[in-house]
Amino acid sequence: MAVAPGLWAYLTLGHLAAPVSRRSKARRGSVPDTALAPTKWSGEPDTERPTGTVIWIHAAPGSRLPALIQLIERVVAEGVRTALLTTSSVDQVQAPLPEGIIHVQRPVDTPRAVARFLKHWRPDVAVFSGSEIWPACITGCNGAGIPLLMFDAHFPRQNRTRWRWAPWTAQALLTKFDKILTGSHADAQTLRDLGGSRDRIEVPCFIEDGTAALPCNEGERDALAQALAVRPVWLAARVCFDELPALAAAHRQASRLSHRLLLILVPNMISRAVEFQAFFNDGTFTTGLRSAGDEPEEETQIYIADTEGEMGLWYRLAPITFVGNTLSHPGGGHDPYEPAALGSAVVHGPNIGPHEAVFSRMNAVGAARRVSTAGALGGAVSELLSPDKAAEMAHRAWQISSEGAEVSDRAIELIDAALGDRTPG
């Protein structure tokens, strides 16, 4: 089969440019020494390949790692299996990984580096998760007879634009996948537009994890719940300083309808809590600072919760959560399932960065609400102070999580089918 011209050019340049690029980056200091170590750059590992089946799973930036790791745990539990988890940067994985998962950095996408990587690890199946399509990795696996799968395929606007200039290249890569799962009909249409085989694309939903409910001190929760029983409450979680004007305006607006409304505000940087309080101490609001021993008294309008490890407490007390760091630039937000798992309705701004796929899925089914201005935020809070509406949103988020478990079952089924009768190693 003829190779698409764009793909041929990419692979040829990869052969020629890899050594030069590596030396150039080292001279410029644009890549730290550790990133240029053999296992992290050139595909030369320093870890022995385990015996038995090896399943290679690559998680692109923005992949929902907790969900993916839960899926991997189920995969490796079936027989003598090891999961080789690769990411584009080492710090993409922060928490210790369960037994049976080896984490290394993805090799640079050149034919030589990929060939070294595949020769050592000899994966029995390769799974790509997220929004990255690496030509050398994909063609290398295909040439070695390694089955290819793609899960949680998601193409943000910038990724869609990137591939439209070379549709034949995209088609040549996408048709090498045995099956592609995505949770968005828009992403499925993008894949078809780029040349993906219609009969190989499925749209169940995105793989979601059953986010464990964050813990809290039950005695503290009971005491605060009793004290706040007759007051409406909303939470602004891990907010940036730049978002304070919008939060102040939204709180004023919502307070016109609910005069005893309390805003619990958790700064994204606890060390700046005093600055956050100073912003609101302009004669308009009465504030309290938890680290100073203040309690949310009857007259308190904004309570700044600047203590570590209490997010589970605040999510339980507030029926509405604004996910911070989503109105400011560049934004990024944080896991929306944290509040949803504890029955809090989710509101967020437009700058959701790596969590775009999750927020988009929640918005599509009414499990979250997106706002872009202080006025829209105030309106959303005012509306969701109705207990029925907030509870309905939280229930829809729970439903998404349940659907995600079904997708995990389908993903495992596809991995097992791809392995088939292959001889491990």
Side-chain angles (χ1 to χ4, degrees), residues 289-333:
L289 187 66
R290 186 162 178 80
S291 64
D294 297 338
E295 296 291 337
E297 305 291 349
E298 180 67 25
E299 66 275 7
T300 304
Q301 297 166 297
I302 298 178
Y303 187 60
I304 300 173
D306 60 335
T307 47
E308 296 281 1
E310 291 195 304
M311 286 306 308
L313 172 63
W314 310 126
Y315 288 141
R316 284 173 171 83
L317 291 172
I320 308 161
T321 294
F322 166 72
V323 177
N325 194 25
T326 58
L327 279 177
S328 60
H329 293 278

Side-chain angles (χ1 to χ4, degrees), residues 212-218 309-313 316 342:
L214 294 178
C216 77
N217 182 309
E218 290 297 332
E310 291 195 304
M311 286 306 308
L313 172 63
R316 284 173 171 83
L342 289 167

Side-chain angles (χ1 to χ4, degrees), residues 5 28 41 47 62 138 159 206 212 247 253 284 308 312 315 325 333 353 356 401 417:
R28 292 197 308 267
W41 194 89
T47 303
I138 293 169
N159 294 56
F206 291 109
L247 290 170
Q253 178 181 342
T284 305
E308 296 281 1
Y315 288 141
N325 194 25
E356 179 183 357
S401 181

Side-chain angles (χ1 to χ4, degrees), residues 232-234 254 257-258 261 318-320 343-345 369 378-394:
V233 178
W234 69 295
L257 297 177
S258 301
L261 180 63
I320 308 161
S344 190
R369 182 170 302 187
V381 171
S382 298
E383 183 178 346
L384 291 171
L385 286 173
S386 167
D388 291 345
K389 293 186 177 180
E392 183 180 357
M393 283 183 65

Side-chain angles (χ1 to χ4, degrees), residues 105-393:
Q105 186 167 330
R106 174 188 59 79
V108 68
D109 198 53
T110 65
R112 289 174 182 167
V114 171
R116 282 190 290 266
F117 180 88
L118 295 178
K119 181 180 179 180
H120 175 82
W121 291 109
R122 303 188 308 281
D124 296 284
V125 63
V127 179
F128 286 71
S129 172
S131 60
E132 291 182 339
I133 301 179
W134 292 108
C137 287
I138 293 169
T139 56
C141 287
N142 183 252
I146 300 168
L148 281 160
L149 301 169
M150 185 183 294
F151 298 159
D152 276 4
H154 177 60
F155 292 87
R157 294 182 183 86
Q158 63 270 26
N159 294 56
R160 299 172 193 176
T161 303
R162 180 188 308 163
W163 284 104
R164 290 192 189 282
W165 69 270
W168 298 111
T169 299
Q171 181 180 24
L173 296 170
L174 291 173
T175 53
K176 298 185 188 306
F177 286 90
D178 297 331
K179 188 68 72 171
I180 300 174
L181 301 185
T182 181
S184 159
H185 287 284
D187 287 311
Q189 186 59 52
T190 297
L191 289 162
R192 289 190 286 266
D193 291 345
L194 291 174
S197 301
R198 184 175 295 271
D199 61 345
R200 298 184 187 182
I201 299 170
E202 295 183 14
V203 195
C205 78
F206 291 109
I207 297 170
E208 311 288 359
D209 65 321
T211 300
L214 294 178
C216 77
N217 182 309
E218 290 297 332
E220 187 73 9
R221 186 198 70 82
D222 292 343
L224 282 170
Q226 184 176 357
L228 300 174
V230 294
R231 295 192 65 180
V233 178
W234 69 295
L235 170 67
R238 302 190 180 108
V239 300
C240 299
F241 193 85
D242 292 345
E243 293 174 311
L244 298 188
L247 290 170
H251 191 61
R252 288 191 192 96
Q253 178 181 342
S255 294
R256 296 190 189 105
L257 297 177
S258 301
H259 299 292
R260 303 178 70 194
L261 180 63
L262 172 68
L263 167 60
I264 300 174
L265 188 149
V266 180
N268 67 330
M269 295 178 64
I270 288 177
S271 59
R272 298 187 63 187
V274 174
E275 293 179 60
F276 278 59
Q277 184 181 34
F279 174 87
F280 291 106
N281 285 344
D282 60 354
T284 305
F285 298 104
T286 302
T287 65
L289 187 66
R290 186 162 178 80
S291 64
D294 297 338
E295 296 291 337
E297 305 291 349
E298 180 67 25
E299 66 275 7
T300 304
Q301 297 166 297
I302 298 178
Y303 187 60
I304 300 173
D306 60 335
T307 47
E308 296 281 1
E310 291 195 304
M311 286 306 308
L313 172 63
W314 310 126
Y315 288 141
R316 284 173 171 83
L317 291 172
I320 308 161
T321 294
F322 166 72
V323 177
N325 194 25
T326 58
L327 279 177
S328 60
H329 293 278
H334 60 271
D335 187 350
Y337 283 124
E338 283 187 0
L342 289 167
S344 190
V346 175
V347 182
H348 65 92
N351 304 313
I352 47 184
H355 301 284
E356 179 183 357
V358 180
F359 278 109
S360 296
R361 169 68 175 156
M362 292 180 70
N363 279 302
V365 298
R369 182 170 302 187
R370 172 175 171 152
V371 297
S372 299
T373 65
L377 176 58
V381 171
S382 298
E383 183 178 346
L384 291 171
L385 286 173
S386 167
D388 291 345
K389 293 186 177 180
E392 183 180 357
M393 283 183 65

Side-chain angles (χ1 to χ4, degrees), residues 53-55 75 81 124-125 147 414-423:
T53 299
V54 170
I55 300 166
V75 170
R81 296 178 174 183
D124 296 284
V125 63
L414 291 173
I415 291 174
D416 288 340
L419 289 172
D421 298 325
R422 285 175 59 86
T423 302

